[in-house]
Amino acid sequence: MSNLPRTQHIIASGVVSIIGVSVAYISFTQEPADAFVFPRLISTVFSILAIWTFGKALMGRTKVGNGLSSEAMKNMLPGLIVAFVYVFWAAKGLGFYTATTFTIFILISLYDPAPHGELKSWIKRALITAGFMAVMYGLFAMLLNVFTPREIFF
């Protein structure tokens, strides 16, 4: 059981490395090239850091904690399901901004410890979601001019 945290770290960093390299590959093979400048930059940095972390994990040079318990995994599962639906369906099917708004609101509602029976906590969740989306829109649409998935709503 003492090797579990190291094994979890190797598996997690390996999966993240594969995802990072895949995203980098996709961003470098898509056209028009101007639309993918930002994704290329981010995915390249992400891939380098992920591969570095994976290499350190393989060599046993990472400082690992106690690993993730089954309870922690159970707590993360709803968020992982929401993220999976967002990445593989919602962002393209509903449009980036609409899907992101729904996803952020659902995630905040799932993990916010405030009572779900109080109107004040729902208003707070809605305001946090609106603020987050305003920053996302300002960052991606206005500052970086990044193309986002557009379908039903924008």
Side-chain angles (χ1 to χ4, degrees), residues 13-63:
S13 62
V15 169
V16 170
S17 295
I18 291 168
I19 292 169
V21 170
S22 300
V23 170
Y25 174 77
I26 290 168
S27 70
F28 277 95
T29 58
Q30 298 299 307
E31 293 293 330
D34 291 346
F36 292 92
V37 172
F38 179 72
R40 286 175 181 173
L41 174 68
I42 296 299
S43 64
T44 300
V45 171
F46 177 79
S47 296
I48 290 168
L49 293 173
I51 292 167
W52 180 38
T53 302
F54 180 59
K56 284 178 63 176
L58 286 174
M59 292 186 286
R61 294 187 177 166
T62 56
K63 297 178 181 174

Side-chain angles (χ1 to χ4, degrees), residues 60-71:
R61 294 187 177 166
T62 56
K63 297 178 181 174
V64 295
N66 296 329
L68 292 174
S69 67
S70 60
E71 186 67 26

Side-chain angles (χ1 to χ4, degrees), residues 26-142:
I26 290 168
S27 70
F28 277 95
T29 58
Q30 298 299 307
E31 293 293 330
D34 291 346
F36 292 92
V37 172
F38 179 72
R40 286 175 181 173
L41 174 68
I42 296 299
S43 64
T44 300
V45 171
F46 177 79
S47 296
I48 290 168
L49 293 173
I51 292 167
W52 180 38
T53 302
F54 180 59
K56 284 178 63 176
L58 286 174
M59 292 186 286
R61 294 187 177 166
T62 56
K63 297 178 181 174
V64 295
N66 296 329
L68 292 174
S69 67
S70 60
E71 186 67 26
M73 291 297 283
K74 189 175 87 174
N75 290 340
M76 289 175 18
L77 186 61
L80 292 172
I81 291 169
V82 170
F84 184 82
V85 169
Y86 172 77
V87 168
F88 291 104
W89 177 78
K92 182 71 172 163
L94 297 177
F96 176 76
Y97 296 108
T98 304
T100 303
T101 301
F102 288 142
T103 301
I104 294 300
F105 188 75
I106 290 168
L107 289 173
I108 290 171
S109 299
L110 283 171
Y111 293 109
D112 183 10
H116 285 82
E118 292 182 11
L119 179 61
K120 186 173 109 174
S121 62
W122 288 104
I123 292 171
K124 180 182 91 173
R125 291 178 186 116
L127 289 173
I128 291 170
T129 302
F132 178 81
M133 289 311 302
V135 170
M136 290 290 289
Y137 181 77
L139 180 66
F140 287 118
M142 303 183 117

